[in-house]
Amino acid sequence: MPADQLLGRRAEDIFPPDHPVRDAVRLRDGEFEPVAAAEVVLTGPDSPARRVGVSVQVIAEGKTRMGALVTFTDLESRERISTQLQVSERPGPAWRITAGVAHEVKNPLNSMRLWLENLKMSCRKR
């Protein structure tokens, strides 16, 4: 439902007693209770079941409640993105070969540099 259709509506109208999110958002006597993290499985008539994360932050000024922020997170998409990031961060075969070659080339270059510095120092002493 678009946000503009939710604005100004009562929480009980948005989450009626039979709504699957009702228990997760801890709606009691028309008021939300804070929820750090909850998980709900939502199904739609034309869509497969999806795992959704729910959190509720109560907005208050002093002791007066001003409203609540209910946040939904698509857990399956988050997990899929996390898996893709882990795979992309793993070094591939080309990276390992490059690192190995760089290591093998670096050792003789360091040795040559040290010999050149020694040669330079011995030339200065003469």
Side-chain angles (χ1 to χ4, degrees):
M1 183 178 292
D4 61 342
Q5 292 181 11
L6 298 173
L7 195 60
R9 291 181 60 193
R10 293 176 11 164
E12 293 94 348
D13 296 337
I14 298 169
F15 302 110
D18 61 336
H19 198 284
V21 177
R22 178 74 177 242
D23 289 333
V25 295
R26 294 189 193 161
L27 186 56
R28 309 283 185 260
D29 298 325
E31 301 230 345
F32 290 104
E33 296 298 322
V35 176
E39 186 175 315
V40 179
V41 177
L42 296 178
T43 57
D46 299 328
S47 60
R50 296 195 65 92
R51 289 180 36 243
V52 177
V54 180
S55 66
V56 178
Q57 294 174 330
V58 175
I59 302 167
E61 189 173 305
K63 292 187 178 188
T64 306
R65 285 178 170 243
M66 305 299 286
L69 175 65
V70 180
T71 306
F72 295 95
T73 307
D74 184 348
L75 296 177
E76 293 172 5
S77 293
R78 178 177 277 182
E79 288 171 2
R80 189 172 49 251
I81 290 168
S82 176
T83 301
Q84 289 172 349
L85 282 173
Q86 289 173 357
V87 168
S88 70
E89 289 173 353
R90 273 191 234 142
W95 181 88
R96 282 186 291 232
I97 290 171
T98 304
V101 169
H103 177 73
E104 294 302 322
V105 169
K106 186 175 100 173
N107 287 341
L109 287 176
N110 277 337
S111 177
M112 289 170 40
R113 183 180 59 85
L114 290 172
W115 277 104
L116 288 172
E117 284 179 14
N118 283 338
L119 182 61
K120 190 166 123 180
M121 293 294 271
S122 66
C123 288
R124 283 188 189 162
K125 291 180 183 178
R126 289 185 186 180

